[in-house]
Amino acid sequence: MGGETQPGSGSRQRIDKWLFFTRMVKSRSLAQSHIQSGHVRINGERALQPSQTIKAGDKVELALERRDVVLIVKSGGKRRGPYEEARLLYEDLTPPPDEAKRLTPYEQAIRATGAGRPTKKDRRAIDRLISDED
């Protein structure tokens, strides 16, 4: 990781290196697997290879595990630095998540009636129904 530098900001840069330098992925090998599995689009077209190059002004769409990210490339990176430095490499156009989808921890813990495994009380009621039929 120490030898992974790139020339000035006006030049083109490999998409796997840029994703690594922007801290969107934890390693270049993860960036390469994202690209090869079709989770990265550059200017609306699917990135075919990790060696595909990007330049300032390109639009990068990245489908991560929990969210989709839309970024505009401001410049190529020189190294994988701290978050504050990485933020300068892109402009984030990701739409905010829908508030309707979010559930409170209480709502997540509650299950719908009849969903999942029966409770002990439910099991006893089922046993009573079965024994009454006999």
Side-chain angles (χ1 to χ4, degrees):
M1 286 179 232
E4 296 182 22
T5 59
Q6 192 70 14
S9 62
S11 63
R12 299 170 82 66
Q13 186 172 38
R14 289 174 56 116
I15 183 67
D16 61 336
K17 274 191 173 186
W18 188 81
L19 290 172
F20 177 64
F21 291 158
T22 58
R23 304 183 76 84
M24 289 292 142
V25 292
K26 291 184 178 183
S27 67
R28 279 188 62 195
S29 60
L30 277 176
Q32 291 167 357
S33 65
H34 268 66
I35 293 164
Q36 290 169 345
S37 59
H39 298 296
V40 178
R41 292 184 168 273
I42 302 171
N43 295 326
E45 294 185 22
R46 189 174 146 217
L48 302 174
Q49 297 177 356
S51 62
Q52 191 167 342
T53 58
I54 58 168
K55 63 185 181 324
D58 284 348
K59 180 179 178 182
V60 177
E61 300 169 50
L62 177 63
L64 296 174
E65 185 176 322
R66 297 180 188 260
R67 63 189 177 117
D68 293 341
V69 181
V70 180
L71 307 170
I72 299 292
V73 178
K74 284 187 175 178
S75 67
K78 295 181 182 177
R79 67 184 187 110
R80 182 179 168 93
Y83 173 73
E84 292 78 22
E85 186 179 313
R87 256 190 3 210
L88 301 174
L89 301 178
Y90 61 89
E91 178 183 344
D92 194 355
L93 300 179
T94 306
D98 289 340
E99 292 299 322
K101 292 182 185 176
R102 288 196 172 170
L103 298 176
T104 65
Y106 176 75
E107 292 169 334
Q108 292 174 359
I110 300 296
R111 65 180 173 94
T113 306
R117 291 181 63 177
T119 62
K120 194 172 188 178
K121 182 179 177 181
D122 295 338
R123 187 69 201 155
R124 287 182 182 151
I126 292 169
D127 289 342
R128 267 188 251 118
L129 285 173
I130 292 173
S131 63
D132 288 344
E133 290 177 359
D134 292 338

